[in-house]
Amino acid sequence: MTSMRFGVNYTPSVGWFHSWLDFDAEAVRRDLEGVASLGVDHVRIFPLWPVIQPARSLIRPRALADVARVVDIAAEFGLDVNVDALQGHLSSFDFMPSWLESWHRRNMFTDPHVVAAEADYVRALASAVANRPNLVGFTLGNEVNQFAAPPHPLPHVVTPEEADGWLATLVDVARTALGRSPVLVTNAMFDAAWYDDRQPFGPEHAVRHGDATVVHSWVFNGAAQAYGAMGSGSVRHAEYLAQLAAAWHTDGTRPVWLQEVGSPTNVVPVNDAPAFLESTVRAAVTVQNLWGITWWCSHDVSRTLPDFPPLEYDLGLITNDGRVKPTGERFAALARELRNAPASSPASDALVLDDDDSRAARAPGGPFFERWLQLADALGRGPQVVLRSQLGDSALLAARGIRSVHESAQPTPA
Amino acid sequence: MTSMRFGVNYTPSVGWFHSWLDFDAEAVRRDLEGVASLGVDHVRIFPLWPVIQPARSLIRPRALADVARVVDIAAEFGLDVNVDALQGHLSSFDFMPSWLESWHRRNMFTDPHVVAAEADYVRALASAVANRPNLVGFTLGNEVNQFAAPPHPLPHVVTPEEADGWLATLVDVARTALGRSPVLVTNAMFDAAWYDDRQPFGPEHAVRHGDATVVHSWVFNGAAQAYGAMGSGSVRHAEYLAQLAAAWHTDGTRPVWLQEVGSPTNVVPVNDAPAFLESTVRAAVTVQNLWGITWWCSHDVSRTLPDFPPLEYDLGLITNDGRVKPTGERFAALARELRNAPASSPASDALVLDDDDSRAARAPGGPFFERWLQLADALGRGPQVVLRSQLGDSALLAARGIRSVHESAQPTPA
């Protein structure tokens, strides 16, 4: 790892993601110039699946060209790009093609025709950008596991084994289409994968597929409610989730990517947002093998667009009309300071996690989370997490830099 | 009424209705040149709602311009145009905007924000074409009542009163936006409105709103199954449905528009299709005050597009690659022959319908349908239908040209 990557999730200022319907290179250029002014090195972009593949067999060449064009415009500003595929879900809105809805509803993870069509889409999208020198990553889709279980209103229910097969298929398709190894192929899940026992997509899936373990940290999940916006359980949440996710690693060098983290105003007061951001980032960069931090998001959603959850209108580092916000300035300063800082050595302390604990116990407020937090505050840095089943694997523990193991049932003296 | 209108429902040959995403004036021109070669006088066109209004407040100017462009291209070939708004539903596919789906699901007929947004859409779409001299009609949407009850997999359930209110609101919006009276404002329902007791949209709604009563005749509804493709109950189905719908008229001169009728190959063998078409058309033109017949559809769906019900690939009067089919030749010949034929005088016979009969009794195979058919075959022409509650309204009966009333319980000698 040469340096820590800092980036933003790109939310177009004009027309939000509906702007794919009216692709405007100049508007993208204006937005990405603003993003680049923050001194970040990459953006994550989100095509809308039904816009690109309105029929199973119809993958629109012009839509693929538009995506490639955004990658090229990013290059004009020295920005690398991660392309997400199956959107799918964005900021409370679902975008599913009509051939998967109502009369044509079939399971999106298991129906063979659907999975074959998704493979066609992933292949086409990956191929459209594969030769771009600034392509840094390709994610199967934004939090696709949202669709796999309640609380989604109409889940496409699958077993963990089926989820695994789906991931293996599509990661392979993307990898083959991209060819080059420096491009990270990843799978992005929302945190129910670690915290919600109903989720068929789980921690094993995060580490088994693709080239990095991806986490999305949102403190509206109970962390900020339980610990306060600036409480340790809130500003360490991203760090915790990254360490928790790494517990399933079998390769001590596998990167973790904090691919989404934001400051949601429903639980973090606007005035606290810059401090929340700074504390979150400073905590997260202590995670060993952290590939980078990609803030959500670039631009506030325009208040002329209704129906978003209120917090979505204020997540940008940049206002909808292009002014850098205090969070944007803080993120820019941290990126400058930290991008070339020496990589964090692994935390030598690790907290033992029982493999068959309920996932709820690991969620903010749960006993495992509490114990980790207690230890983090005592040590001044979050410990790693080690599975009990791996305690005997001294090579792995050595590779991970773990030297001191803490039982979660036995508090260390603070 | 100057003459009988003959037209087709325009199904684009390239990319079906997904072609709105890649609007191509030349492709439209090629298609409509083919349509015009049939000698028809109008087309009905179908924008996709979520493409035009992807967010409640975002009605895309370019998409509206594309619709207007199609109207103008039709004018190049002397074709008038009916524009449908809320698609909604087309050929088994639902197209609903993301702001009405999953996490944002709200009743599309009653939620005040949704109805206001639909009104905005209808207003914008109608305004975009209002000044076109070849605009002949504006329909709220294609069979929107599909969404209002089972068997839709996820119905937006409403009461008949709510359905009425919704129609009144949107017809008024369209009427106001269109301004000119020659443009027909209409509401199109699939036949469950007359045949299915679960449907909140019913016969009264067909006659109470807009400028014409619209019927869509599809013999896969049981008619062809019960009577055979060329049986009287099949080839008279469109005539019957038009007469049935007119029973609720309170204005003896209100037009009826047979806005959709087709020859579905799942129940009508391909070799019978031209004869089915001819018999259907010749039966339908006997209906008094028939505004016109709009065949479904112009072009076969390309077999490269999967997931359609099989019959949808063969409904065109023109093949997907532009050759006029035997049904197209037959429709063209009938249009030539019948468009300037003298208007049909009203059938002087009428069959009495009990107002509170179940709607199922009126469906193909039901006792009322059977009785009407028996009388039609005996008379050589389908009788009108008169509601028992209107039997005392001698002015209305006179206006409708009804001179002989038949009780459905007492068969006349054949």
Side-chain angles (χ1 to χ4, degrees), chain A residues 22 57 60 92 94 102 104 304, chain B residues 22 57 60 92 94 104 304:
Chain A
D22 288 296
S57 63
R60 298 174 53 233
S92 83
D94 287 350
S102 62
H104 293 277
T304 64
Chain B
D22 288 296
S57 64
R60 298 175 51 233
S92 83
D94 287 350
H104 294 277
T304 64

Side-chain angles (χ1 to χ4, degrees), chain A residues 104-261:
Chain A
H104 293 277
R105 185 176 163 87
R106 292 161 282 183
N107 191 293
M108 69 180 284
F109 300 108
T110 60
D111 180 278
H113 291 111
V114 174
V115 176
E118 290 167 339
D120 290 342
Y121 168 66
V122 165
R123 187 180 301 110
L125 185 60
S127 299
V129 294
N131 67 354
R132 270 27 186 208
N134 62 323
L135 183 74
V136 71
F138 187 94
T139 303
L140 295 188
N142 182 49
E143 303 186 356
V144 186
N145 68 318
Q146 289 239 7
F147 291 96
H152 192 281
L154 274 175
H156 292 253
V157 175
V158 290
T159 65
E161 294 69 30
E162 289 167 337
D164 200 62
W166 183 81
L167 287 167
T169 298
L170 293 190
V171 164
D172 183 61
V173 166
R175 182 77 276 160
T176 302
L178 291 166
R180 301 176 301 138
S181 67
V183 175
L184 293 176
V185 174
T186 53
N187 163 48
M189 306 190 289
F190 86 118
D191 62 13
W194 293 273
Y195 297 156
D196 186 336
D197 293 282
R198 296 173 297 182
Q199 252 293 326
F201 286 82
E204 298 84 354
H205 296 120
V207 305
R208 193 178 294 153
H209 301 284
D211 305 312
T213 297
V214 166
V215 293
H216 291 183
S217 171
W218 287 103
V219 297
F220 53 56
N221 64 0
Q225 291 93 331
Y227 302 99
M230 293 302 300
S232 177
S234 178
V235 298
R236 282 194 188 278
H237 178 265
E239 177 193 10
Y240 168 77
L241 185 57
Q243 289 290 14
L244 179 67
W248 280 265
H249 284 182
T250 53
D251 168 0
T253 66
R254 182 177 169 94
V256 176
W257 180 0
L258 178 54
Q259 195 189 42
E260 280 185 25
V261 55

Side-chain angles (χ1 to χ4, degrees), chain B residues 194 203 206-207 213-215 240-249 256 385:
Chain B
W194 293 274
V207 304
T213 297
V214 166
V215 293
Y240 168 76
L241 186 56
Q243 289 290 14
L244 179 67
W248 281 265
H249 284 182
V256 176
V385 178

Side-chain angles (χ1 to χ4, degrees), chain B residues 232-256:
Chain B
S232 178
S234 178
V235 298
R236 284 195 188 278
H237 177 265
E239 177 193 10
Y240 168 76
L241 186 56
Q243 289 290 14
L244 179 67
W248 281 265
H249 284 182
T250 52
D251 169 0
T253 66
R254 182 176 169 94
V256 176

Side-chain angles (χ1 to χ4, degrees), chain A residues 18 21-22 54 56-57 60 62 92-95 98-99 101-104 106 151-154 304-307, chain B residues 18 21-22 54 56-57 60 62 92-95 98-99 102-104 106 151-154 304-307:
Chain A
H18 305 304
L21 292 168
D22 288 296
R56 267 205 288 143
S57 63
R60 298 174 53 233
R62 206 183 72 189
S92 83
F93 293 95
D94 287 350
F95 297 93
S98 60
W99 49 271
E101 292 281 38
S102 62
W103 301 97
H104 293 277
R106 292 161 282 183
H152 192 281
L154 274 175
T304 64
L305 295 175
D307 296 328
Chain B
H18 305 304
L21 292 168
D22 288 296
R56 268 206 287 142
S57 64
R60 298 175 51 233
R62 207 184 70 189
S92 83
F93 292 95
D94 287 350
F95 297 93
S98 60
W99 50 270
S102 63
W103 301 98
H104 294 277
R106 292 160 284 184
H152 193 280
L154 274 176
T304 64
L305 295 175
D307 296 328

